[in-house]
Structures are given as C-alpha cells and as structure tokens.
Amino acid sequence: MKIAVITGASSGLGKEFTKQISKKVKGLDELWIIARREEKLIQLKESIKHIKCRVMPLDLIQKESFVEYERLLEKYSPKICMLINNAGYGKIGSFETIDIDEQLNMIELNNKSIVKITRSSLPYLYNNARIIQVASSAGFMPQPGFSVYAATKAFVISFGRGLNQELKDKNIKITSVCPGPVRTEFFDVAGGDVSMSIKKMAMVEADQVVAKALKDSAKGKEISTYGTLMNAFKIVAKIVPHSLILKQVNYYNSRDKE
Ligand SMILES: NC(=O)c1ccc[n+]([C@@H]2O[C@H](COP(=O)([O-])OP(=O)(O)OC[C@H]3O[C@@H](n4cnc5c(N)ncnc54)[C@H](OP(=O)(O)O)[C@@H]3O)[C@@H](O)[C@H]2O)c1
C-alpha cells in the first residue's frame, strides 16, 4: 500500500497539501491525515472522493501519539511515498511576555515532532520518497519579536539540509518550504500585532505556496520559496550580515509602535 502522510492537515497549508497531493500524485492508495481536530479531518476526507483518506486525530505534542502512529505503521506496513511535516505554530511577541509553556510547546511541535515522525517513518519510506517540511522564511535569520519561532524554523532548515546528505543513498530528498506570510489560521494562533508589517509585506495564498512546494520537491530542491519578495529575502539573508539587517528591522519596528 502506497501512502502520503500529511501532518497539520486540518487547515491552511496542510489541508491544501492534502487536496493537491490527492489530485497530482499518481499511484497513491491512501492519504494519512493528522491533526488534533478530528471533525475538520473528517470534513476534508469527505471532500476527497477519488482516494481514501485515513483520519488520524493525533496531538503531536503528546508522546502517546507517536506510539499510535508507529502501531499503525507496523499494522499496515505501508510504503510512504511522501511525508509532509507541516504541523506547527508560532507566537508573536517578546520572549519575556509570551507564556513559557507556549514557547516550549512550539519547540516540541515545530522541532521534536518532526524529528520523531521522520525517524518513525524512515523504515517505511519508499525508494525515491519525498519529505517536505514546512519551515518558514523566518528561519533564514533571527527575528526579534518572533525569536523562538524563528529559531525553530532555522532548526528545520538545518535538519533538512543534514538529512538530505545522510539519505542520498536511499534516494530520499527533503525539501524545506520557506514561505513568508500565508493566508491561513496561523495568525489567529500567533496573536500579537502584525497588522502593519503584514500589510506592508504581500500576504500570499496557501494553494500557490503548496503548488510551488510540490514542484520543487519533485525536482529534488532543498529549499522552496514562493514569490519575488521571499526569494529576495533569502538572498539578502545569505549575503548581508544579519547585524545590519537587524538594525533596520529594529528601526521599522520602533516606527510602527509610534
Ligand atoms: N501562515 C503563515 O504565514 C506561515 C508562514 C511560514 C510558515 N508557516 C508554517 O506552515 C505550517 C502550517 O501552518 P498554517 O499556516 O497552515 O497554519 P494553520 O492553518 O494554523 O495550520 C496549522 C496546522 O497544525 C496543526 N497542529 C497544531 N498543533 C498541533 C498539534 N499539537 N498536533 C497536531 N497538529 C497540530 C493544526 O491542526 P489542529 O489545530 O487541528 O491540531 C493545523 O492543521 C506551520 O508549520 C507554520 O509554522 C506558516
């Protein structure tokens, strides 16, 4: 049985990955869709007619969820053709004011759950399989006011790069998707006052980011960015010293607050 596993499938980018993979990736028997909100996963399953979706209501912050995931892998022994590590969240605000448990859970979900699910999936990954991990352009450099989130996403990018080398012999390729702001439920969860800065930066649609990510993954690209702005940011963050960029960011942030 050939499958794709998609985490965070109940909304936003994960839901879009599920829809597009169901149409574009040939030869799959099932999509395993994971998130906490079971009713949203059931709605998604019902909207996809041509391929079976297995609803897996799991909280990826809880250890027991991985026991259940591994139990299902053992039971069905599937060939995983695609693993989409997408579930994640961010919290906007100063490190000092954001609840510490919310920050630690962010690390738990954005980082530890990716490492865990990738490791559990590894024995089942098909030759030539693809792993897509949703990082963020926030991972390109430190982000004051978004410090822990940006650090979690830098981890994802680095993890993907390292793993790409390690898994070369198995012909498995990892693509880290690095979008800027995308119109999803992300900002409802993130809180903070983002209106000014986000309005200035163009918000993009989830379907476009996902379409580009699937194309880049098929080509075996290590990083997937969508849009001129984020491509430019990636280059700037690579060549301009981060201390200089951070000076500018601090200047604009303090102007926004006035
Ligand atoms: N939107 C943006 O601007 C943006 C930009 C760059 C990167 N990203 C990244 O894109 C990814 C997807 O986010 P999104 O924008 O699509 O936001 P979203 O609509 O809020 O989706 C987040 C998904 O993660 C799932 N999730 C959250 N906590 C979970 C947990 N403990 N266990 C299992 N699933 C959990 C949510 O499902 P349940 O609530 O049902 O569990 C939901 O399906 C995240 O990794 C995010 O960091 C987003």
Side-chain angles (χ1 to χ4, degrees), residues 42-84:
I42 292 171
Q43 276 172 19
L44 179 60
K45 175 193 165 100
E46 283 169 358
S47 73
I48 294 175
K49 305 286 177 214
H50 45 287
I51 180 166
K52 182 178 171 186
C53 289
R54 185 178 295 273
V55 167
M56 298 169 71
L58 299 175
D59 181 345
L60 296 177
I61 285 175
Q62 304 300 328
K63 280 203 175 101
E64 311 81 72
S65 298
F66 294 96
V67 175
E68 173 62 5
Y69 180 65
E70 284 176 6
R71 189 188 67 77
L72 290 168
L73 286 176
E74 246 176 66
K75 182 173 175 195
Y76 294 104
S77 206
K79 287 178 174 144
I80 304 177
C81 299
M82 292 195 102
L83 169 62
I84 313 293

XYZ file of all heavy atoms in Angstrom, residues 42-84:
362
model
N -12.347 14.935 9.167
C -13.458 14.169 8.561
C -14.058 14.971 7.395
O -14.317 14.431 6.318
C -14.522 13.808 9.619
C -13.929 12.790 10.612
C -15.794 13.233 8.978
C -14.768 12.501 11.841
N -14.220 16.274 7.618
C -14.745 17.137 6.528
C -13.845 17.058 5.299
O -14.311 16.959 4.168
C -14.785 18.603 6.989
C -16.024 18.976 7.765
C -15.903 20.382 8.358
O -15.088 21.191 7.933
N -16.722 20.656 9.355
N -12.525 17.101 5.549
C -11.565 17.042 4.437
C -11.668 15.691 3.729
O -11.721 15.622 2.495
C -10.147 17.278 4.985
C -8.997 17.223 3.995
C -9.149 18.278 2.889
C -7.654 17.412 4.703
N -11.709 14.635 4.525
C -11.834 13.272 3.959
C -13.069 13.192 3.058
O -13.013 12.649 1.949
C -11.954 12.275 5.126
C -12.216 10.833 4.736
C -12.620 10.069 5.996
C -13.239 8.741 5.673
N -12.331 7.633 5.801
N -14.183 13.769 3.539
C -15.435 13.684 2.762
C -15.380 14.492 1.471
O -16.091 14.218 0.525
C -16.613 14.127 3.642
C -16.996 13.009 4.609
C -17.961 13.424 5.704
O -18.315 14.627 5.748
O -18.336 12.552 6.512
N -14.500 15.500 1.445
C -14.400 16.338 0.239
C -13.487 15.695 -0.815
O -13.432 16.143 -1.956
C -13.880 17.732 0.604
O -12.504 17.652 0.912
N -12.748 14.655 -0.410
C -11.831 13.999 -1.363
C -12.420 12.643 -1.748
O -12.439 11.717 -0.944
C -10.420 13.859 -0.738
C -9.835 15.270 -0.530
C -9.498 13.017 -1.619
C -8.518 15.317 0.174
N -12.906 12.563 -2.977
C -13.678 11.378 -3.381
C -12.807 10.271 -3.978
O -13.103 9.098 -3.841
C -14.737 11.769 -4.429
C -15.668 12.889 -3.985
C -16.687 12.404 -2.964
C -17.558 13.550 -2.474
N -17.949 13.422 -1.087
N -11.741 10.674 -4.688
C -11.046 9.706 -5.532
C -9.932 8.922 -4.831
O -9.304 8.072 -5.441
C -10.491 10.425 -6.769
C -9.816 11.713 -6.424
N -10.522 12.816 -6.041
C -8.519 12.041 -6.367
C -9.670 13.792 -5.782
N -8.460 13.336 -5.966
N -9.657 9.227 -3.551
C -8.629 8.460 -2.842
C -9.016 8.368 -1.364
O -9.585 9.315 -0.808
C -7.221 9.088 -3.038
C -6.156 8.279 -2.294
C -7.159 10.529 -2.630
C -4.728 8.617 -2.701
N -8.693 7.233 -0.760
C -9.085 7.034 0.640
C -8.210 7.883 1.571
O -6.979 7.876 1.452
C -8.932 5.542 0.990
C -9.364 5.240 2.400
C -9.248 3.762 2.729
C -9.493 3.595 4.227
N -9.286 2.270 4.712
N -8.865 8.591 2.462
C -8.127 9.335 3.489
C -8.317 8.626 4.822
O -9.440 8.313 5.206
C -8.653 10.764 3.622
S -8.258 11.803 2.229
N -7.211 8.381 5.517
C -7.305 7.795 6.862
C -7.155 8.928 7.875
O -6.104 9.580 7.944
C -6.202 6.751 7.054
C -6.299 6.003 8.379
C -5.207 4.949 8.461
N -5.376 3.915 7.446
C -6.131 2.828 7.593
N -6.782 2.636 8.721
N -6.235 1.947 6.628
N -8.231 9.159 8.605
C -8.237 10.268 9.576
C -7.485 9.827 10.841
O -7.813 8.801 11.448
C -9.703 10.658 9.910
C -9.765 11.562 11.118
C -10.349 11.316 8.694
N -6.485 10.591 11.216
C -5.691 10.252 12.407
C -5.652 11.437 13.363
O -4.783 12.309 13.244
C -4.275 9.830 11.969
C -4.314 8.584 11.096
S -2.764 8.187 10.271
C -1.788 7.653 11.626
N -6.628 11.477 14.290
C -6.668 12.604 15.215
C -5.601 12.470 16.304
O -5.825 11.829 17.321
C -8.086 12.528 15.812
C -8.535 11.129 15.588
C -7.698 10.500 14.530
N -4.441 13.041 16.054
C -3.312 12.900 16.989
C -2.774 14.273 17.378
O -2.671 15.169 16.536
C -2.179 12.097 16.327
C -2.494 10.667 15.884
C -1.296 10.078 15.138
C -2.858 9.786 17.071
N -2.430 14.390 18.654
C -1.768 15.606 19.131
C -0.264 15.337 19.133
O 0.233 14.536 19.934
C -2.264 15.930 20.553
C -1.639 17.203 21.095
O -0.636 17.670 20.504
O -2.148 17.736 22.095
N 0.450 15.994 18.241
C 1.864 15.664 18.034
C 2.772 16.221 19.134
O 3.994 16.105 19.051
C 2.317 16.112 16.644
C 1.621 15.391 15.488
C 2.069 15.953 14.145
C 1.894 13.886 15.526
N 2.155 16.810 20.142
C 2.951 17.224 21.305
C 2.979 16.086 22.335
O 3.841 16.044 23.203
C 2.378 18.542 21.889
C 2.780 19.699 20.972
C 2.854 18.805 23.309
C 2.213 21.036 21.339
N 2.043 15.151 22.180
C 1.927 14.046 23.145
C 2.689 12.802 22.661
O 2.529 12.387 21.518
C 0.438 13.658 23.336
C -0.471 14.796 23.760
C -0.050 15.409 25.095
O 0.474 14.721 25.957
N -0.256 16.716 25.244
N 3.476 12.249 23.551
C 4.287 11.054 23.217
C 3.409 9.892 22.724
O 3.792 9.165 21.810
C 5.065 10.595 24.453
C 6.326 11.415 24.695
C 7.330 10.603 25.528
C 8.649 11.343 25.674
N 8.822 12.007 26.955
N 2.215 9.727 23.363
C 1.347 8.585 23.008
C 0.945 8.623 21.533
O 0.646 7.575 20.937
C 0.041 8.579 23.832
C 0.188 8.751 25.335
C 0.352 10.195 25.758
O -0.640 10.931 25.676
O 1.459 10.592 26.168
N 0.917 9.823 20.952
C 0.516 9.934 19.542
C 1.495 9.188 18.642
O 1.108 8.610 17.629
C 0.460 11.406 19.115
O -0.504 12.060 19.876
N 2.760 9.205 19.027
C 3.759 8.527 18.204
C 3.696 7.015 18.397
O 4.001 6.252 17.477
C 5.156 9.091 18.498
C 5.248 10.520 18.062
C 5.052 11.547 18.966
C 5.444 10.839 16.727
C 5.067 12.856 18.557
C 5.464 12.152 16.298
C 5.281 13.170 17.223
N 3.286 6.614 19.593
C 3.089 5.177 19.837
C 1.986 4.685 18.899
O 2.113 3.659 18.237
C 2.707 4.927 21.326
C 2.375 3.466 21.564
C 3.813 5.407 22.256
N 0.909 5.476 18.796
C -0.216 5.117 17.924
C 0.212 5.137 16.444
O -0.128 4.231 15.685
C -1.392 6.094 18.187
C -2.587 5.969 17.265
C -3.289 4.608 17.343
O -2.914 3.772 18.172
O -4.203 4.388 16.518
N 0.962 6.160 16.056
C 1.442 6.266 14.670
C 2.293 5.031 14.320
O 2.089 4.400 13.278
C 2.236 7.564 14.491
C 2.790 7.774 13.103
C 1.948 7.945 12.004
C 4.172 7.814 12.880
C 2.463 8.140 10.726
C 4.693 8.014 11.612
C 3.834 8.177 10.536
O 4.350 8.378 9.269
N 3.194 4.679 15.222
C 4.072 3.525 14.961
C 3.273 2.218 14.947
O 3.576 1.309 14.173
C 5.189 3.471 16.009
C 6.240 4.527 15.718
C 7.339 4.612 16.774
O 7.356 3.772 17.686
O 8.161 5.534 16.668
N 2.241 2.153 15.775
C 1.389 0.958 15.797
C 0.717 0.777 14.425
O 0.676 -0.317 13.864
C 0.322 1.102 16.898
C -0.475 -0.177 17.161
C -1.645 0.050 18.098
N -2.697 0.894 17.541
C -3.598 0.499 16.652
N -3.603 -0.734 16.227
N -4.521 1.351 16.177
N 0.226 1.881 13.870
C -0.439 1.808 12.561
C 0.555 1.468 11.454
O 0.235 0.724 10.523
C -1.166 3.126 12.263
C -2.397 3.364 13.140
C -2.898 4.795 13.019
C -3.518 2.389 12.775
N 1.763 2.021 11.563
C 2.791 1.690 10.564
C 3.094 0.191 10.605
O 3.186 -0.463 9.565
C 4.077 2.490 10.832
C 4.056 3.975 10.468
C 5.362 4.642 10.893
C 3.832 4.197 8.975
N 3.236 -0.318 11.817
C 3.533 -1.744 11.964
C 2.395 -2.608 11.427
O 2.599 -3.601 10.750
C 3.745 -2.070 13.430
C 5.174 -2.503 13.721
C 5.406 -2.741 15.186
O 4.800 -3.679 15.726
O 6.177 -1.967 15.788
N 1.160 -2.171 11.738
C -0.020 -2.945 11.343
C -0.170 -3.018 9.816
O -0.410 -4.080 9.257
C -1.261 -2.305 11.972
C -2.552 -3.030 11.673
C -3.711 -2.467 12.456
C -5.005 -3.143 12.051
N -6.167 -2.421 12.508
N -0.013 -1.875 9.139
C -0.294 -1.837 7.694
C 0.961 -1.965 6.832
O 0.868 -2.163 5.631
C -1.054 -0.555 7.336
C -2.435 -0.520 7.959
C -2.691 0.271 9.073
C -3.465 -1.295 7.444
C -3.953 0.296 9.667
C -4.723 -1.288 8.025
C -4.962 -0.488 9.128
O -6.199 -0.485 9.709
N 2.113 -1.739 7.447
C 3.394 -1.797 6.736
C 3.337 -1.100 5.370
O 3.623 -1.703 4.331
C 3.790 -3.266 6.570
O 5.168 -3.361 6.473
N 2.967 0.171 5.351
C 2.803 0.860 4.069
C 4.145 1.297 3.475
O 5.160 1.292 4.171
C 1.996 2.115 4.475
C 2.462 2.408 5.856
C 2.770 1.078 6.495
N 4.107 1.662 2.208
C 5.267 2.320 1.594
C 4.956 3.819 1.595
O 4.003 4.247 0.919
C 5.461 1.830 0.161
C 6.000 0.428 0.115
C 6.158 -0.073 -1.302
C 6.834 -1.431 -1.262
N 6.345 -2.344 -2.272
N 5.723 4.569 2.345
C 5.452 6.023 2.398
C 6.171 6.692 1.220
O 7.400 6.674 1.138
C 5.913 6.637 3.732
C 5.258 5.915 4.922
C 5.606 8.136 3.775
C 5.713 6.413 6.299
N 5.378 7.253 0.307
C 5.963 7.929 -0.860
C 6.229 9.390 -0.548
O 7.148 10.010 -1.096
C 5.016 7.845 -2.055
S 4.711 6.153 -2.545
N 5.378 9.988 0.291
C 5.558 11.398 0.667
C 5.259 11.565 2.146
O 4.254 11.032 2.633
C 4.593 12.303 -0.100
C 4.863 12.396 -1.558
S 3.975 13.801 -2.264
C 5.280 14.974 -2.399
N 6.131 12.303 2.817
C 5.875 12.661 4.219
C 5.879 14.185 4.281
O 6.884 14.820 3.929
C 6.985 12.092 5.119
C 7.009 12.601 6.558
C 5.732 12.223 7.304
C 8.237 12.040 7.306
N 4.737 14.742 4.661
C 4.643 16.210 4.721
C 4.615 16.625 6.188
O 3.597 16.515 6.875
C 3.362 16.732 4.009
C 3.158 16.078 2.633
C 3.401 18.256 3.904
C 4.170 16.406 1.578
